[in-house]
Amino acid sequence: MYGPQGFYRRPEGPAGHFRTSVHASPLFARAVARLLCRVDEALGYPDRLDFVDMAAGRGELAAGVAAALPAEVAARARVHAVEIAARPRGLDPRIEWRAEPPEDVTGLLFANEWLDNVPVEIAEVDSAGVPRLVLVRRDGTERLGEPVAGAEARWLARWWALPGEEGWRAEIGLPRDTAWAAAVARLRRGLAVAVDYAHTADARPLFGTLTGFREGRETAPVPDGSCDVTAHVALDACALPGGHVTTQRAALRVLGVTGARPSLALASSSPAEYVRALASAGEAAELTAPGGFGDFGWLVQPVGIPDPLAEATA
């Protein structure tokens, strides 16, 4: 997907094919900016405050957070957009564009829909009840390969045990666990948050979640660079000691995004303000809606500070 003609190197960027919370409403970036301010307070207002946007797309979240910060915080903030694709034209010059996160981060590392694109192996149970690796050709054609073994078999046994029924599938999340641990290791003090379509051990999907997206529609996950290839994330497996998983709905509620409708009295006293408040409430409702963005998982990982989202419960 990141090859010379790959999906993520196309001029339109990911936003040309699917919406994330960042694209749905500027309220999301403002909420993340408020979270960064909470982290700043927990850190004791350091001289340098980092915000690291993992898998930054075209820099939409990084730019939104930079614009939403209070002046005093913005003066100390260093905004890093981590993305393999080239820096987009016209991006706020305050944003540092880089292919890898900084080595020494003090602040907030935020990964919105990053881990779902970290490649994983797929396991499928064969007719003898044995989980085998799924092999795929460039055109999407599949066949079963060798039995799952070693560290991957141990991961399945611990995090996604498959019954011996033919056709059941699992996505072996070991590379995501490793990628998350490596990202968190860059954090000296602060908070790391991963936001994604997710599931936990008590509710794994029976046949996995591998799929593709192109031009706003779900499509077959063909690994030829023509579409996004993605799978939901076992965030509970990724969590390091001290981390916890909650929902986007709960996390945004703590950060002031509730979706509550404005008072009808405002419609009489200030109609224009009422219309703006109503529109904002609609956007907030989308970000927190059950069955949609509100059900996204937030993996919250404090490092050396109290949890700024401790009030968030699923």
Side-chain angles (χ1 to χ4, degrees):
M1 290 196 296
Y2 279 100
Q5 306 300 321
F7 177 82
Y8 279 110
R9 293 193 185 273
R10 294 184 176 189
E12 70 273 16
H17 297 270
F18 52 84
R19 293 168 83 239
T20 70
S21 297
V22 180
H23 307 126
S25 171
L27 293 176
F28 188 79
R30 293 171 196 160
V32 176
R34 285 193 289 275
L35 178 57
L36 180 59
C37 290
R38 285 186 171 217
V39 172
D40 185 33
E41 180 180 8
L43 290 168
Y45 309 105
D47 292 338
R48 190 199 78 221
L49 178 67
D50 294 309
F51 175 68
V52 181
D53 178 11
M54 294 292 295
R58 293 302 181 266
E60 298 96 336
L61 178 61
V65 169
L69 290 175
E72 189 279 326
V73 179
R76 294 180 288 108
R78 301 293 180 269
V79 180
H80 313 270
V82 181
E83 176 59 64
I84 298 175
R87 180 188 183 99
R89 294 180 180 178
L91 186 66
D92 188 326
R94 294 176 297 174
I95 298 172
E96 180 182 355
W97 195 263
R98 52 193 305 152
E100 296 285 342
E103 290 285 349
D104 188 4
V105 176
T106 299
L108 174 61
L109 183 147
F110 200 88
N112 187 59
E113 297 196 45
W114 168 49
L115 289 175
D116 66 314
N117 284 127
V118 173
V120 294
E121 298 285 0
I122 310 296
E124 182 177 320
V125 179
D126 68 10
S127 59
V130 176
R132 292 180 176 272
L133 295 176
V134 174
L135 307 182
V136 59
R137 300 182 187 277
R138 188 175 175 83
D139 65 0
T141 305
E142 295 179 352
R143 66 179 178 86
L144 297 186
E146 295 298 314
V148 180
E152 292 177 331
R154 291 191 292 275
W155 189 95
L156 277 182
R158 169 67 179 85
W159 292 109
W160 198 332
L162 286 169
E165 298 181 32
E166 184 177 6
W168 284 41
R169 282 192 168 201
E171 289 117 22
I172 305 173
L174 188 59
R176 292 165 173 180
D177 300 354
T178 302
W180 180 243
V184 174
R186 306 287 183 112
L187 195 61
R188 174 183 288 188
R189 290 180 67 222
L191 184 70
V193 177
V195 181
D196 247 306
Y197 283 112
H199 45 71
T200 52
D202 59 347
R204 302 289 190 219
L206 300 182
F207 303 105
T209 62
L210 180 68
T211 190
F213 284 95
R214 183 193 299 115
E215 297 177 354
R217 296 182 179 181
E218 194 167 3
T219 186
V222 179
D224 62 357
S226 66
C227 65
D228 181 33
V229 178
T230 181
H232 296 191
V233 183
L235 282 180
D236 51 345
C238 295
L240 299 167
H244 69 92
V245 178
T246 186
T247 63
Q248 175 156 300
R249 183 181 314 107
L252 290 185
R253 186 182 303 120
V254 171
L255 296 171
V257 180
T258 65
R261 293 172 64 90
S263 169
L264 285 174
L266 186 62
S268 300
S269 61
S270 180
E273 184 179 349
Y274 175 78
V275 170
R276 288 192 296 269
L278 193 62
S280 180
E283 293 176 6
E286 182 181 8
L287 290 174
T288 59
F293 289 133
D295 288 344
F296 269 51
W298 280 44
L299 170 54
V300 181
Q301 194 82 51
V303 177
I305 64 170
D307 183 355
L309 285 172
E311 308 150 73
T313 57

